[in-house]
Amino acid sequence: MPLKRRQLKDDLLWLKWPLILLAVVLSVAISSYVSAFYFRNDMQRQEFDAFSAFDLLSGQVREIESAERIIVNNIDRFNSMAATSLMDEENRVDLLEEIRAIREEHQLFPIGVEIQEQNRILLSYTSDIEFPDEQISLRSSQIQIRLPLLHEEDLARFLADFLGGDRLIVSNRCTINETVIAEDNFLEIREHQLAICDFYWYTLRREPFTGI
């Protein structure tokens, strides 16, 4: 019985469906691999973003906790400062009125007062405070007072009242010079000495943080 030789076309027809199935399987496998690759990258990106957000949130929590500790440790001091005029604007009219009242109370000679222009210095934060909302500026004005004296006790009374108020006024220096008077007029009620005193008047100001 003669054998019939198989044609190539028959072989291809026979392999058609296995080849189609193989192509489908390969397509599904490649698609799954690509999808898994992008999914893994997306998960890694989301994980990185989540850790970054967590680190940022942790830093903000630590900053809040640090600020709370600072507030708790210094609330009494701040309340004491706020109760005085240290946190207020300079009121030079009130200062001159206070000097006038001291002069009248102790019956002193006329007092000369000179207040220079105010200076401003920004106070720096400690390194553990990264994102402050406010900054504190230190303001200072130099005051010179010329006080004629009947005797040294006049200066002592003036300084006790002037430096004993709510303002943060610091004495820098004070000099007393004898005035030239005749000996026969020495016992008269008149200025025998002249005190020239320099002071620094300090105030603090809360300002929005500018980073400068």
Side-chain angles (χ1 to χ4, degrees):
M1 179 177 178
L3 296 175
K4 184 179 180 180
R5 186 176 181 183
R6 293 177 60 87
Q7 299 293 326
L8 178 62
K9 182 173 67 173
D10 296 333
D11 293 337
L12 292 178
L13 289 174
W14 184 83
L15 293 174
K16 175 182 177 181
W17 292 110
L19 290 175
I20 292 175
L21 179 61
L22 177 62
V24 171
V25 171
L26 289 176
S27 298
V28 172
I30 293 173
S31 299
S32 299
Y33 175 80
V34 172
S35 299
F37 176 79
Y38 282 108
F39 178 78
R40 184 187 64 178
N41 288 344
D42 186 62
M43 289 297 100
Q44 290 178 343
R45 181 183 58 80
Q46 293 184 14
E47 182 183 16
F48 176 79
D49 293 342
F51 277 113
S52 299
F54 178 77
D55 291 340
L56 178 60
L57 182 60
S58 299
Q60 292 176 345
V61 170
R62 289 193 299 270
E63 183 179 349
I64 293 174
E65 292 175 347
S66 176
E68 288 179 348
R69 288 194 298 270
I70 293 175
I71 291 174
V72 171
N73 295 335
N74 297 277
I75 187 65
D76 292 337
R77 182 181 302 177
F78 176 81
N79 290 335
S80 176
M81 293 169 58
T84 66
S85 59
L86 180 59
M87 303 294 294
D88 298 335
E89 296 278 356
E90 276 190 5
N91 192 326
R92 301 190 176 195
V93 174
D94 283 353
L95 179 67
L96 295 176
E97 179 61 24
E98 181 178 319
I99 293 175
R100 184 195 63 80
I102 295 174
R103 173 180 175 270
E104 290 183 354
E105 179 181 357
H106 299 295
Q107 299 181 348
L108 302 176
F109 292 111
I111 301 174
V113 181
E114 180 183 353
I115 305 177
Q116 297 183 5
E117 183 179 355
Q118 188 182 65
N119 296 317
R120 172 179 176 268
I121 299 176
L122 288 176
L123 302 181
S124 58
Y125 283 92
T126 57
S127 58
D128 56 342
I129 300 180
E130 299 179 356
F131 307 105
D133 295 327
E134 295 181 326
Q135 58 189 356
I136 305 298
S137 63
L138 175 65
R139 309 296 179 99
S140 64
S141 298
Q142 188 172 0
I143 305 173
Q144 184 178 86
I145 292 181
R146 300 173 63 88
L147 176 61
L149 305 173
L150 180 63
H151 44 69
E152 290 85 351
E153 189 176 350
D154 287 344
L155 178 60
R157 291 172 179 171
F158 173 81
L159 292 178
D161 290 349
F162 184 65
L163 299 178
D166 290 338
R167 298 178 183 85
L168 180 56
I169 297 179
V170 179
S171 176
N172 182 33
R173 65 176 180 176
C174 206
T175 60
I176 300 177
N177 298 316
E178 298 284 346
T179 57
V180 179
I181 59 174
E183 293 185 1
D184 54 348
N185 296 329
F186 190 77
L187 297 179
E188 293 181 1
I189 300 179
R190 57 177 299 174
E191 54 185 76
H192 295 160
Q193 298 168 323
L194 177 64
I196 301 177
C197 299
D198 293 329
F199 305 91
Y200 286 102
W201 181 9
Y202 293 104
T203 55
L204 297 174
R205 183 86 55 81
R206 297 171 61 183
E207 305 177 7
F209 183 74
T210 60
I212 301 177

